[in-house]
Amino acid sequence: MKGTNLGEFEELVLLITGVLYPEAYGAAIIAEIEAQTSRKPSVGALHSALNRLDEKGFIKSKTGESTESRRGRKKVYYFLTESGEQALVNARQLRNNLFNLIPNISDK
Amino acid sequence: MKPDTPIDPPRWPFILLGSFMNPLLLDEVEGDLYETFDKRVEEVGAKKAKWLLIRDVLSMFRPFAIKKITNKNSINTLTMISSYFKLTIRGIKSNLMSSLISIFGLSIAVACCIVLFLFGMNIITANDFIADADRIYMVTSHTKNVNNDPFIWGKTPEMMGTTASQDYNGIDGMTRVLNGNAVVRYGSIVLEEPIQYVDEDFLKIFNFELTDGTSASLYDGTKVVLSAKAAEKFFGKSYALDEELSLIINGETIPVTVGAIAAPFPTNSYFSFNILVPYKLASTSTSDWDKLTNATFFKVKNASAIDNIKDLSGQYWQAYNSKSPKYPISQFEFIPFSQLTKTDYQIVGSVVGRENPSTLIGIIFFGLLLIFIACFNYVNIAIVTATRRLKEIGLRKSVGASKKQLVFQFLSQNVFMCLFAVIAGLIVAHVILVPLFNSFFPFELSITYTNPTLWIFLLSIAMSTGILSGIYPAFYVSSFSATNIFQGKEKFGSSKNYLFKFFLGIQFAFTFLIIFSGISFISNSSFQKAKDWGYNQGGLVVIPTTTNDQFTALFNRLSTYPEISSVSGSANHIGNSTSVMDIDILDEKKPVVVYNVDSSYLRTMGIKLVEGRNLNSALASDVENGLIVNRKFANTFMIGDVPGSQIKSKGEQYNIIGVVEDFHYRNFYFPIDAMAFKLSTPEQNNFIIAKVDAGNLTQVNEKIKADWGNMFPDYPYNGYFQNEAFDEFFRQMSIPTNILITFSVISIILSAMGLFGLVSLIITKRMKEISIRKVLGASMKEIALLTNVPFIVVLGIALIVAIPTSQYLIKLYLDQVNAFHVPIDFTITVPSILILLITVLLTISSNLFKVSKSSPVEALAEK
């Protein structure tokens, strides 16, 4: 298994995967990222992130049904694993801790 | 909302995706792409969605998503490749003749490639032995000539170097280079040698390798540094360090010692020296801003230091311009030494010198042509050979070989063939081609087998020629259908024959171009050698002298020679030195070449006076402002009666008293421009021109040399014959000519061999047909006609295209380089056509001879 660090984009993908549960598959994740943030990730970037998350053991996948819009190609759904969830919690924890350490952020 | 009729995305991105994507992921990603595409069509429109789709497909090009090259079949692959290798060897054996021709042709092409590669490497690595080349800067001056055309000049004010190195920190070293000549004497050896005046830091800046002595010796001020070549001239093989030499500079004798000797310069050196002499021997001036030096180099600690100098360099050129020099400077440009080799040919009078790269481009162009010819040769033979393997292909297809596998098989066999050719080519290059090229050029190429770039290059040649030349035959034959092959429907000579004829035609056309250029160059060089210079070059001995005393003494001595009919003196001399005068034409200044000569010069040189009279040194007005101009001058600048008219230059009035016929005062690269003769004062004269009428010219020269040795033992004798004055021009011309002749011969051989292979293959295929014709009573003549006609037709069409193209290209090239060249007409075209035609006919006939000897029974008895 590779390192368990969570990159910024990986974290975003991981969060969206959680949000969309149990309907998180490639095109849906992209649409959600586009809707939630103003960025337009490429399909390559997304699958690369999914691939890394899979290698790190944060997500697992399951082949699903196909639709007309996919021209008959099957969907692959992604789910958070336990360690995936833990990674999100850790990341949040770290942010909160650091955030609280900032003495006075609105001060000029 | 889904539209009723969804817009279909373009198909090609998906084909592309499928070509590289890991199949495990492919399905899912394709689905995502389709779905996202549909959504984007709704949101941003079809056009934008298409672009985003293409971006997405390209974005999948990542390591994790690319098809894995599985090692599963590695043992099989190895077996397969080794079996292909075996097949290649068998193929070569079974078609020995045509295979050897292919390999030999390709190997010659490869050998040419190797030479081109060495050439290129020599240029790319030029001067790379100089360390820290990016911290060494050469100063160049931006200036304009009298016609207001800007040019970059290698010369800089001499004072700039010394002043700048005092004015700035951050300069590690500064050296100027001033070219000069000195008489160098060691014992009884007296030679006039080019010398380079340099500052102390020269060897600190440029890390030339020294065999003896140290780079610090220039700091001494009385020590000089010799190049290996110069050291050998004076000392031979013996030890030269600390030996004493005397330099005679401007008549003054200066004793110096040898402080160091440089190792022979590397072959890629375009910056070198002969004898380094301390700069202060040339000048110790501290105020003459208008004195120029040939080059100024700075070595700086970092790039920002040079910016500092650049910002403030204005004061230097202003100081120089305030002396109102001939070429005012508008700007200094600081060029890193590492960049210099790429641009130095644009710098007028650069000490880091190479010629204009046009010769080189020409060589590369013709080298590539040769490679093309060899490849087309190979393609043709490969097509014909491949069609003989139709049954094999049919069988392979029947047992399940896919088209892809067949193409791979053909290509890999081709690459094997090319590997053999590369090995053979390396031998050809080492044994023949490299020594041949070295004999043409003033520098040495050598194959360094330890250079990894060479091996990478060779391997890529094998791969690329193998694939390029094999790709067409491979696809051609592998597209046949197995059933057609076995039914005998698929035969060589179907409609695709046109393509084969097209290749053959291109090969003919290229060969013609090379033959044509070879013949043009040969006839151009003989044309120029035979061309009338417009004056009498024969029987003239020219002796340059260094001092006026020498001049007078020798002049008087030569006047007593019975063999010499006339002796003249001059300050300038045709083919050796000129001066320039700016004349005022309306409001413009026109530079005109002027020769300062005595009144007998025209007669001695045999220059024809057509109007007016000769210069007369007895007339004060002639001495003051008399001019003789050439016809071109008269036609360009004057109207009406020329003798008696006047022109102005720098406020002074000149009388034109005569006009001479145009003659070539420069070599044939240059047109004849307006020029003039002016009377020189006796003190200015330093050339003696003697016209030898009686006796042997060489003997007379030896006699003068002996007299010189008695009169001036300290000075070398530099006399030469006027008809040798332009030898350098002819020597330079002979380089491209020799190369082209070599290329022509090689390409004729290549084409002939290719054609021979081709014809013999085709005739073998048609052997049955020919045999039946023979049996039915066809004469040899009819058979010859039958087999020759298709080739002659192709040759004819190729010539129709190639003749005007070649004429145009060669004329373009000769016009670019020469002001006077041989006319490109039928005298060149006809021999070129004949050579090609004879080669083709001979090749075909030699095959027919074989046919005529064969018995038809044998051919027909075969299954």
Side-chain angles (χ1 to χ4, degrees):
Chain A
M1 194 190 288
K2 290 193 175 171
T4 49
N5 256 354
L6 210 48
E8 188 267 345
F9 187 65
E10 285 171 30
E11 188 181 345
L12 183 65
V13 172
L14 201 56
L15 283 168
I16 302 278
T17 309
V19 169
L20 292 176
Y21 176 84
E23 289 286 321
Y25 65 96
I29 298 174
I30 286 185
E32 190 66 19
I33 292 176
E34 282 178 13
Q36 297 285 349
T37 70
S38 56
R39 38 210 269 195
K40 280 198 192 321
S42 70
V43 175
L46 173 76
H47 279 279
S48 161
L50 287 171
N51 178 57
R52 284 198 302 275
L53 289 172
D54 186 47
E55 281 179 355
K56 291 172 187 173
F58 294 159
I59 53 171
K60 51 187 188 197
S61 58
K62 197 182 91 183
T63 308
E65 80 290 350
S66 79
T67 64
E68 192 193 332
S69 167
R70 295 178 70 83
R71 314 291 196 279
R73 269 69 167 183
K74 282 174 179 156
K75 288 178 183 173
V76 175
Y77 291 108
Y78 293 92
F79 309 97
L80 260 60
T81 60
E82 244 175 75
S83 62
E85 207 176 332
Q86 192 55 47
L88 278 180
V89 170
N90 289 346
R92 186 177 180 185
Q93 193 82 48
L94 179 70
R95 290 219 176 157
N96 285 346
N97 288 346
L98 289 173
F99 198 78
N100 292 336
L101 286 175
I102 298 172
N104 194 354
I105 42 171
S106 63
D107 193 298
K108 277 187 94 178
Chain B
M1 279 286 100
K2 235 177 265 171
D4 295 338
T5 46
I7 298 168
D8 264 327
R11 264 176 54 78
W12 68 264
F14 288 94
I15 296 170
L16 177 68
L17 188 74
S19 71
F20 68 79
M21 183 108 187
N22 186 343
L24 294 173
L25 267 169
L26 188 62
D27 217 37
E28 177 196 357
V29 171
E30 274 183 356
D32 285 347
L33 285 172
Y34 279 122
E35 198 177 331
T36 317
F37 178 79
D38 283 352
K39 198 169 147 284
R40 281 180 179 153
V41 169
E42 280 170 43
E43 284 170 1
V44 293
K47 205 172 165 191
K48 189 101 193 281
K50 272 180 200 165
W51 280 112
L52 286 169
L53 173 73
I54 294 166
R55 178 198 70 156
D56 280 349
V57 166
L58 292 179
S59 77
M60 285 312 303
F61 203 77
R62 289 164 196 256
F64 82 94
I66 294 176
K67 260 181 205 166
K68 299 283 180 290
I69 298 157
T70 45
N71 286 333
K72 227 172 16 187
N73 295 327
S74 64
I75 298 166
N76 275 341
T77 316
L78 202 69
T79 326
M80 183 180 69
I81 289 188
S82 66
S83 106
Y84 288 168
F85 186 74
K86 204 186 284 168
L87 278 174
T88 314
I89 302 274
R90 281 183 196 159
I92 292 175
K93 274 187 192 153
S94 68
N95 282 314
L96 198 60
M97 191 63 189
S98 62
S99 303
L100 282 184
I101 287 175
S102 297
I103 291 183
F104 185 67
L106 275 179
S107 68
I108 288 181
V110 169
C112 291
C113 270
I114 291 171
V115 172
L116 291 182
F117 169 80
L118 294 176
F119 227 75
M121 285 305 282
N122 190 286
I123 302 303
I124 292 167
T125 63
N127 295 335
D128 69 348
F129 59 95
I130 300 285
D132 298 328
D134 48 346
R135 290 203 290 127
I136 302 170
Y137 287 82
M138 182 165 110
V139 188
T140 56
S141 310
H142 284 224
T143 177
K144 282 178 179 169
N145 66 14
V146 278
N147 292 334
N148 250 349
D149 301 320
F151 68 98
I152 305 175
W153 207 16
K155 287 191 173 182
T156 42
E158 190 179 76
M159 289 281 296
M160 176 183 180
T162 37
T163 321
S165 42
Q166 283 160 17
D167 289 357
Y168 298 99
N169 298 321
I171 293 179
D172 261 359
M174 183 284 297
T175 185
R176 296 162 295 177
V177 179
L178 180 65
N179 292 329
N181 276 300
V183 175
V184 185
R185 181 173 186 165
Y186 174 72
S188 60
I189 307 171
V190 186
L191 294 170
E192 177 153 5
E193 287 286 308
I195 57 171
Q196 285 77 30
Y197 299 99
V198 295
D199 286 290
E200 296 95 341
D201 291 339
F202 185 87
L203 288 175
K204 202 175 102 186
I205 298 174
F206 300 108
N207 59 326
F208 284 102
E209 197 191 324
L210 303 175
T211 43
D212 288 302
T214 67
S215 60
S217 48
L218 279 173
Y219 290 92
D220 190 288
T222 61
K223 286 185 175 169
V224 296
V225 178
L226 303 186
S227 66
K229 221 164 146 191
E232 208 196 309
K233 253 190 222 170
F234 288 96
F235 304 102
K237 296 270 171 250
S238 61
Y239 192 67
L241 200 64
D242 295 328
E243 287 291 332
E244 284 186 10
L245 294 172
S246 47
L247 302 178
I248 304 169
I249 300 169
N250 300 330
E252 203 183 324
T253 307
I254 301 160
V256 290
T257 51
V258 176
I261 295 118
F265 301 116
T267 53
N268 61 352
S269 158
Y270 293 96
F271 177 58
S272 59
F273 56 85
N274 189 41
I275 301 176
L276 296 179
V277 175
Y279 204 93
K280 63 175 189 196
L281 294 182
S283 141
T284 47
S285 157
T286 50
S287 59
D288 292 347
W289 268 101
D290 53 345
K291 258 193 102 178
L292 293 165
T293 188
N294 291 88
T296 306
F297 292 98
F298 289 108
K299 184 170 187 177
V300 292
K301 291 197 169 62
N302 51 47
S304 64
I306 208 72
D307 288 337
N308 289 335
I309 306 177
K310 213 181 289 178
D311 289 345
L312 292 166
S313 63
Q315 49 174 316
Y316 303 132
W317 54 260
Q318 278 154 13
Y320 164 78
N321 288 353
S322 69
K323 300 269 183 175
S324 53
K326 187 162 184 183
Y327 299 111
I329 296 171
S330 58
Q331 190 193 332
F332 286 129
E333 190 185 345
F334 296 79
I335 302 177
F337 195 80
S338 48
Q339 299 298 310
L340 215 48
T341 46
K342 296 179 190 80
T343 53
D344 55 19
Y345 61 90
Q346 296 166 350
I347 302 169
V348 177
S350 171
V351 293
V352 183
R354 217 178 37 233
E355 280 162 49
N356 194 301
S358 64
T359 324
L360 230 109
I361 292 169
I363 290 167
I364 290 174
F365 173 74
F366 282 107
L368 289 178
L369 267 189
L370 265 195
I371 294 161
F372 270 127
I373 292 182
C375 279
F376 279 120
N377 231 338
Y378 182 67
V379 170
N380 280 338
I381 291 185
I383 293 174
V384 183
T385 352
T387 49
R388 301 175 93 190
R389 291 170 63 179
L390 282 178
K391 289 220 172 92
E392 178 198 335
I393 295 159
L395 189 66
R396 278 179 187 276
K397 282 203 156 180
S398 318
V399 296
S402 69
K403 188 177 169 180
K404 222 196 237 168
Q405 281 168 318
L406 279 175
V407 169
F408 181 73
Q409 184 203 337
F410 271 94
L411 282 185
S412 55
Q413 289 184 8
N414 249 355
V415 172
F416 286 139
M417 286 273 275
C418 289
L419 275 176
F420 292 136
V422 163
I423 294 165
L426 201 60
I427 297 168
V428 173
H430 187 106
V431 179
I432 304 170
L433 226 47
V434 170
L436 195 68
F437 270 72
N438 284 342
S439 68
F440 294 158
F441 282 97
F443 57 85
E444 292 268 302
L445 295 176
S446 63
I447 305 179
T448 34
Y449 291 97
T450 47
N451 184 355
T453 331
L454 176 74
W455 295 106
I456 295 171
F457 173 76
L458 288 179
L459 207 64
S460 49
I461 284 193
M463 294 292 284
S464 55
T465 47
I467 290 173
L468 278 179
S469 61
I471 199 112
Y472 174 71
F475 275 97
Y476 173 50
V477 293
S478 59
S479 63
F480 292 155
S481 99
T483 44
N484 281 351
I485 289 174
F486 288 124
Q487 282 178 350
K489 280 184 189 165
E490 211 67 79
K491 267 196 204 115
F492 176 71
S494 56
S495 63
K496 295 203 173 165
N497 211 349
Y498 286 116
L499 213 100
F500 151 76
K501 280 183 176 160
F502 175 71
F503 284 148
L504 188 67
I506 288 186
Q507 195 185 328
F508 282 150
F510 280 158
T511 312
F512 181 80
L513 174 59
I514 294 187
I515 295 175
F516 188 84
S517 18
I519 292 183
S520 314
F521 276 63
I522 296 171
S523 55
N524 187 43
S525 72
S526 58
F527 166 84
Q528 291 188 334
K529 274 200 182 117
K531 190 167 166 52
D532 186 9
W533 288 78
Y535 66 92
N536 208 342
Q537 272 198 339
L540 288 175
V541 183
V542 182
I543 308 117
T545 60
T546 26
T547 63
N548 204 246
D549 293 342
Q550 270 180 16
F551 175 83
T552 321
L554 190 69
F555 191 92
N556 293 336
R557 180 88 188 85
L558 290 190
S559 306
T560 66
Y561 276 39
E563 300 93 336
I564 292 174
S565 61
S566 98
V567 190
S568 296
S570 68
N572 306 113
H573 178 61
I574 294 165
N576 194 313
S577 96
T578 60
S579 63
V580 176
M581 182 164 108
D582 293 335
I583 59 165
D584 300 337
I585 299 297
L586 300 175
D587 287 337
E588 276 187 89
K589 278 187 179 166
K590 294 279 182 194
V592 168
V593 169
V594 174
Y595 290 90
N596 293 291
V597 298
D598 72 5
S599 53
S600 65
Y601 188 85
L602 294 186
R603 184 163 42 94
T604 309
M605 294 292 287
I607 296 166
K608 293 183 236 17
L609 195 68
V610 287
E611 273 182 74
R613 59 174 177 85
N614 196 359
L615 292 160
N616 188 345
S617 48
L619 288 175
S621 61
D622 278 11
V623 177
E624 280 292 308
N625 47 21
L627 274 188
I628 286 186
V629 299
N630 67 351
R631 197 188 279 278
K632 172 84 179 175
F633 187 111
N635 292 345
T636 322
F637 300 129
M638 314 310 295
I639 303 163
D641 204 16
V642 180
S645 52
Q646 292 177 327
I647 53 147
K648 269 189 167 179
S649 169
K650 287 191 176 160
E652 279 198 53
Q653 197 91 24
Y654 289 89
N655 299 319
I656 296 176
I657 58 171
V659 179
V660 293
E661 191 57 68
D662 281 341
F663 63 95
H664 292 275
Y665 57 95
R666 292 181 292 190
N667 64 42
F668 300 129
Y669 287 147
F670 300 101
I672 298 175
D673 282 335
M675 55 80 66
F677 290 103
K678 197 175 167 297
L679 269 183
S680 60
T681 59
E683 299 78 51
Q684 289 176 325
N685 289 343
N686 52 12
F687 288 100
I688 296 176
I689 299 101
K691 174 82 181 163
V692 179
D693 264 358
N696 184 309
L697 193 60
T698 325
Q699 278 169 6
V700 175
N701 187 43
E702 286 305 318
K703 196 172 154 192
I704 303 173
K705 190 175 179 180
D707 267 353
W708 174 282
N710 293 332
M711 291 159 81
F712 321 109
D714 282 352
Y715 290 87
Y717 176 71
N718 293 324
Y720 63 92
F721 303 124
Q722 180 65 18
N723 55 12
E724 290 170 356
F726 292 96
D727 273 4
E728 174 60 19
F729 164 71
F730 287 114
R731 199 191 58 75
Q732 257 188 27
M733 275 224 334
S734 71
I735 293 177
T737 311
N738 287 339
I739 290 173
L740 268 171
I741 294 170
T742 317
F743 276 158
S744 304
V745 171
I746 293 177
S747 69
I748 293 173
I749 295 175
L750 274 184
S751 286
M753 282 191 332
L755 198 66
F756 183 82
L758 212 56
V759 175
S760 55
L761 276 174
I762 290 173
I763 287 185
T764 325
K765 281 184 72 70
R766 291 178 69 177
M767 208 55 207
K768 266 186 198 162
E769 181 201 327
I770 294 173
S771 299
I772 293 174
R773 282 175 192 273
K774 267 175 112 175
V775 172
L776 293 181
S779 70
M780 208 46 226
K781 200 175 116 200
E782 283 163 323
I783 293 171
L785 215 58
L786 191 79
T787 42
N788 275 0
V789 163
F791 291 108
I792 300 298
V793 169
V794 174
L795 180 66
I797 295 172
L799 283 179
I800 289 171
V801 180
I803 290 172
T805 322
S806 308
Q807 283 178 342
Y808 175 76
L809 285 176
I810 296 302
K811 193 166 175 337
L812 194 75
Y813 178 78
L814 288 177
D815 279 345
Q816 282 287 314
V817 179
N818 296 279
F820 298 93
H821 65 75
V822 68
I824 300 295
D825 56 13
F826 69 94
T827 53
I828 293 166
T829 315
V830 171
S832 314
I833 297 175
L834 282 181
I835 289 181
L836 188 59
L837 198 67
I838 289 171
T839 316
V840 170
L841 288 179
L842 274 182
T843 320
I844 300 174
S845 321
S846 67
N847 267 299
L848 280 178
F849 181 69
K850 211 165 62 184
V851 174
S852 72
K853 298 276 262 187
S854 73
S855 131
V857 181
E858 270 170 37
L860 290 171
E862 269 179 31
K863 61 161 175 65

